[in-house]
Structures are given as C-alpha cells and as structure tokens.
Amino acid sequence: MLLRNAWYIAAWADEIGGEQPLGRRICSEPTVLFRDGSGRAAALADRCCHRAAPLHMGTVVEEGIQCGYHGLVIDGSGRCVHIPGQKLIPEDARVRSYPTVEKDQMVWVWMGDPAKADPTAIVDFPYHNDPGNGPTSTTCIRSRQITR
Amino acid sequence: MFLRNCWYVAGWSHHFPEDDLVTRTILGDPIVLYRKGDGGVVALENRCCHRFAPLSRGRKEGDDLRCMYHGLKFAPSGRCIEIPQQDIIPSTAVVRSYPVVEQDCWVWIWMGEPGVADARLIPRALNHDHPGWLMLTGELTYDANYELINDNLLDLTHLSYVHQSTLGRNSMSWGESRPKTARIERGPRIERWVVNHPRPNYLGLPPGSLSDMWASYDYVVPGVFLLGTKSYPTSMAADCRMLPPTAEPDWVSSTSQAVTPISEHQTIYYYSSCLSRTFATEEHSRQQMAVIERAFAEDRAMIEAQQDIIASTPEARMLRLSSDGALNQFRRLMAGLIDAEQVPGVAASSAAEVRQTREEAPHAIA
C-alpha cells in the first residue's frame, strides 16, 4: 500500500523544460512531467486518452504536450486541446492531471485526491535556493541513477 | 483470445530450406515445419505424443519425422507409423498436423479445425515474386499483443507523428487526412489521397518536390495488410475530385504485411516492399526498404511502450476518434468471428461463411 494523499518529489526543477517530456513512475503510476507554454510545471498520467500511448514519447508544444502516436495535444490541466483532422473535441478527451508545485528547485506532485492537495504542507528546502549552494552547484551531490 | 479458423503466415518461403526443421510458436502452439520431397511444407505439433520431446530435435526420414528421444516415427499426417520394439501402434499415437499452403512467397498455416481449411480464404499478396516488380522482405518480432499492431495498421494518421522523419516525410498530409472506409468481405478497404506529399529523398529530387499519392489498402482477417500506392504530379487529387485515379501514375509501390500472434504477449510481423520496375531501380528498392525498416523500429518502440502502459493501467478505457472507424470495424469483425468459434459446431460454419454480419455503429464523431 502506498500513501497517496501526500506530496512527492517528482523531479528536480531543471530536469524538465524544452521539447522533451520526462516520463517517471510515481506510486506505481506512469506519469509524465513537462513545462507548459508559460513555463509552469505540469504532471499528467503518462497515457494518452486516445490509444494509451505513453505521452513521454511525445513532444512539448506551445499548448501542452503532443502525443507521438496520433498527434493529440493535451494541456497542462489534462484537457485535450487539439485532434489532428478532427474539429470536435469530445468531453471525455482528458488525461488525469496531478496537482503540481514547483518549490525550492524541486517539482512536487500530489498523487491522491486533488481536493486535498494543500501546497502549504510541502516541506521547505530553503538551502536549495542559497547562491553557491544550490542543487546544480558542486556542493550538492545528486544521484542521477533514476530508473523508471 | 485468438481466431483459430483462419490462415496465418508462418514465414517466408525462403525460411523453409529443403533439409531444415524449422520451429515456430503460433497462437501459443509449438510447431515444427519441414519440406517433403515434393517441396510441400508439413507442419506438425512440436511435441512427441510419447514423452513430449520436441520433434524439432528429431530427424527427417524421407517425408517422415522421427523423434530422436525414443525413436517414434511420424508421417506428415501426424500419425505415428513406427514405434521401435513395439508391434502395435495405439490409435492415440498421433501428433497434430496443421494444413499448410504456400502462396505468394508466404507459407500459410491453418490453426483451426482442419476439415474446414479452405485455401480460397488466403488473401493474395500484392506483386510478390512478380517479374515486373522489385521485392524485398523482412520480419520483426514485437513484445506486444497482435491487436495493437492491427490497430496501428488500421489508422495511418500515425505516419505524420511516429514516422515524421521516415514514411511521414515531415508532412501533415497523412495525419490530417481522413480516408474513405468501405466494407469488403474480410475486413475494411481504406482509401485516400495523400495530397502534396513529399517525394522520397532517395530519388534525389530538388527539396520540396511534392506529389499527390493515392493510397489504397485492404486489411483482412486475421491481420493482413495489402497496400498499393500510386503517385502523380500535384493537383491530380483535385483533378480527380478526390475520387480514385484513372491516369497512369509516375511512381507505384506496394507492400503486403501479415501479423501472426506468437502468444498473447508476442507477435511476429512479416512485410514486403515492392516497387514497379517501370519506375524504380534496385538501389531505390534497397533505399525504400531501409526507410521502411527504420519506420517499423519506430512503430515497435511506440507499440511496446503502449503495451506497457496498458498493462499498468488495465482499467482505463480508450477514446474513440473519427480516425478510428476502420480500427473499430476490424476489432468488431474479429471479435464476432472469435465469439462464433467458442460455440461447438459453429466454428466450422463460421469459417466457411465468413461474411461480416455485424452492422457498424454510426460514427459518434465526424
């Protein structure tokens, strides 16, 4: 059993951004992390609502993440905003999204009931923001041995 | 679940040399195949009825196969015809024998009730072993259920995404077009104009050389893809008012592909690439195949990843889009045939009379 109503660290802030989304399994769930057009971090179920292709194999575009199988675009809230060759977007064209907070150079996700996600419950890591002592500096040792 | 009363491709003709015993697992069945003296292919259950030794470790003796554990000898019919040191051969001393037909460079095997195996149900591959055509062949194994590969081949809008830099040629022509889908006897027929489609790079034409390409394929039970394309100067699609072309094309190609389940979790995929000698050279043919093989590696990466996602979220449902009409039609056709086989006595009639009876639900989305 896993605790779901909790904030988990999904990634370091500098792991996401650019065209390439990041796929990561959290609490057994395949998730995908990326930054939307405004730079906001987003976490979605790593499963396109169309044919279940993993979204982490897609590309980050201005409006969200574009699935690499048939080209649907899903925004940071999980809503499908574009279907190639089709004008109408069905109501149920949605992917689960997880509450996401970027804080102290880390991306936190809430894997449980979204209504209970309280960002004030996230612990502080203030020293991550100290100049010369951040996670990208040599004084902070960081393991890159993350496997999916 | 598998459809058993139908023909599956067991391999290319060249996979079965004169003296070899070739093993295959098809729909979960272990099978050994070999050629008789007259060249005909025999397919037997790869398990001796005595102590379950694999007959593929046996020895061909004329047209027969001897198990090399305790020496039982089997005829091509599967019947045991010799038990060393024993005069009486029990009637139960038999291994399953599968009907086999070799046609169009493919060896086809009937996985169901032998009595209803009808060679007329085998679809004709396009331009295989034809003097007017250059042909190359290949095969690929997927760690995925066969239905995901059928789905992939029944919705070619993915060419603009999965194959952006290969078959899609960095064009949205495939992704944004919607084909016409008609019902034929054993599956859908899917036709479309791919308008303003870049010409293949290997032709060495100036960048931006475009064509209008007519692409028409049949996708027939149990998973056989038969595609022909004809290319024309741009504006031909409009000149034809998007109807099928009648003019002579300036480039033609075809490909025939067959999806054969190894098990529920693994599938083998056989494919050809054919180019008409009227327009293409052997070098074109090699380059075309190189593009196809890069593209199929892209498909495999996507489909195996899709399979992993489905396995970890089995309860989630898929979303139906306007591009899924053919895919859903074929899934319903297969499900109907598989259902019919589960009723004793119905299997034979359903195999003999394969017409699709179910009506397709109207498109929810257009």
Side-chain angles (χ1 to χ4, degrees):
Chain A
M1 289 293 280
L2 298 166
L3 179 64
R4 305 204 75 88
N5 282 321
W7 291 100
Y8 288 94
I9 298 168
W12 295 101
D14 67 356
E15 285 186 281
I16 58 169
E19 276 192 3
Q20 179 80 44
L22 177 67
R24 194 151 276 173
R25 203 168 278 251
I26 305 169
C27 295
S28 304
E29 291 185 22
T31 56
V32 60
L33 299 141
F34 65 101
R35 288 186 191 283
D36 66 16
S38 66
R40 203 177 149 275
L44 303 177
D46 192 13
R47 173 183 173 120
C48 181
C49 49
H50 175 217
R51 303 298 304 172
L55 291 170
H56 80 264
M57 292 176 77
T59 309
V60 179
V61 296
E62 183 61 25
E63 306 83 6
I65 187 167
Q66 180 157 41
C67 180
Y69 203 167
H70 304 98
L72 276 70
V73 178
I74 314 293
D75 73 10
S77 75
R79 201 167 53 91
C80 177
V81 293
H82 176 65
I83 300 173
Q86 178 172 327
K87 287 200 178 73
L88 277 177
I89 297 176
E91 267 301 296
D92 52 348
R94 293 193 68 89
V95 173
R96 177 173 178 185
S97 74
Y98 300 94
T100 306
V101 171
E102 189 171 346
K103 189 174 169 227
D104 300 331
Q105 304 201 36
M106 295 185 296
V107 179
W108 296 80
V109 294
W110 180 267
M111 300 303 291
D113 178 359
K116 294 181 178 155
D118 174 7
T120 63
I122 299 174
V123 294
D124 295 326
F125 285 79
Y127 44 85
H128 277 181
N129 300 318
D130 290 350
N133 194 34
T136 50
S137 75
T138 53
T139 53
C140 178
I141 297 164
R142 207 162 108 187
S143 171
R144 281 290 188 179
Q145 293 169 0
I146 297 170
T147 52
R148 294 196 69 236
Chain B
M1 293 289 277
F2 301 118
L3 181 64
R4 297 206 73 101
N5 278 311
C6 67
W7 296 96
Y8 287 91
V9 171
W12 293 101
S13 291
H14 66 257
H15 289 166
F16 305 94
E18 212 172 302
D19 292 319
D20 275 14
L21 297 174
V22 179
T23 58
R24 288 282 189 274
T25 303
I26 303 175
L27 315 191
D29 292 6
I31 296 168
V32 57
L33 301 105
Y34 63 92
R35 284 193 191 273
K36 295 185 289 187
D38 66 3
V41 177
V42 177
L44 297 177
E45 179 183 2
N46 190 20
R47 183 176 73 175
C48 181
C49 50
H50 174 217
R51 302 300 303 167
F52 293 179
L55 294 176
S56 57
R57 297 182 75 101
R59 185 169 70 199
K60 249 181 77 179
E61 296 185 2
D63 288 350
D64 306 322
L65 182 56
R66 186 183 297 279
C67 178
M68 291 302 279
Y69 199 172
H70 306 98
L72 278 71
K73 187 157 98 169
F74 297 90
S77 67
R79 179 152 297 284
C80 179
I81 51 173
E82 188 186 317
I83 301 176
Q85 316 302 327
Q86 180 173 321
D87 290 340
I88 293 172
I89 299 173
S91 61
T92 52
V94 61
V95 294
R96 181 169 178 180
S97 172
Y98 298 83
V100 173
V101 171
E102 193 166 3
Q103 180 176 291
D104 298 333
C105 305
W106 269 332
V107 170
W108 298 83
I109 184 167
W110 179 267
M111 296 301 294
E113 176 64 43
V116 291
D118 179 353
R120 288 170 304 179
L121 291 174
I122 300 175
R124 296 307 304 258
L126 304 177
N127 310 311
H128 281 186
D129 202 22
H130 186 294
W133 290 74
L134 296 150
M135 174 186 179
L136 290 172
T137 69
E139 56 278 333
L140 186 65
T141 302
Y142 285 77
D143 287 327
N145 181 270
Y146 67 96
E147 285 194 290
L148 296 182
I149 302 165
N150 290 341
D151 291 351
N152 172 276
L153 294 166
L154 283 156
D155 176 9
L156 297 187
T157 64
H158 79 270
L159 266 66
S160 290
Y161 298 96
V162 178
H163 308 309
Q164 190 179 359
S165 63
T166 53
L167 299 172
R169 300 178 194 158
N170 292 307
S171 154
M172 282 306 299
S173 318
W174 282 98
E176 289 180 345
S177 70
R178 287 291 180 270
K180 284 203 174 68
T181 301
R183 197 180 294 275
I184 56 170
E185 200 173 357
R186 299 273 276 170
R189 171 167 294 167
I190 300 160
E191 299 183 316
R192 53 152 75 77
W193 278 101
V194 184
V195 178
N196 292 328
H197 194 50
R199 301 270 187 178
N201 284 339
Y202 57 73
L203 293 179
L205 298 169
S209 297
L210 304 177
S211 66
D212 281 359
M213 184 171 75
W214 174 252
S216 169
Y217 68 101
D218 292 348
Y219 202 86
V220 295
V221 171
V224 181
F225 174 91
L226 305 164
L227 168 72
T229 73
K230 297 177 181 177
S231 297
Y232 297 89
T234 51
S235 86
M236 180 58 84
D239 293 348
C240 292
R241 300 193 316 279
M242 302 308 273
L243 296 170
T246 50
E248 281 302 307
D250 60 24
W251 182 262
V252 291
S253 74
S254 72
T255 174
S256 301
Q257 306 174 8
V259 174
T260 301
I262 295 170
S263 66
E264 292 283 355
H265 309 290
Q266 222 181 23
T267 306
I268 188 162
Y269 176 51
Y270 299 97
Y271 52 88
S272 67
S273 167
C274 297
L275 294 177
S276 164
R277 288 183 189 272
T278 308
F279 309 106
T281 64
E282 290 194 8
E283 180 56 21
H284 292 145
S285 177
R286 277 192 293 276
Q287 300 237 24
Q288 172 73 7
M289 192 49 140
V291 173
I292 286 177
E293 298 205 317
R294 286 216 316 277
F296 290 174
E298 292 167 337
D299 277 320
R300 180 162 69 174
M302 178 59 78
I303 291 169
E304 290 183 350
Q306 179 194 24
Q307 180 72 79
D308 285 346
I309 292 291
I310 290 169
S312 57
T313 55
E315 72 295 339
R317 296 194 52 178
M318 290 185 182
L319 175 73
R320 184 177 169 142
L321 300 181
S322 65
S323 51
D324 296 326
L327 175 165
N328 286 318
Q329 180 189 323
F330 191 74
R331 277 195 175 232
R332 277 196 302 277
L333 169 61
M334 287 289 285
L337 291 171
I338 291 170
D339 276 356
E341 279 190 352
Q342 309 314 308
V343 184
V346 176
S349 60
S350 77
E353 190 185 327
V354 291
R355 285 177 196 284
Q356 202 175 336
T357 53
R358 295 184 172 207
E359 282 304 310
E360 192 185 359
H363 278 185
I365 303 147

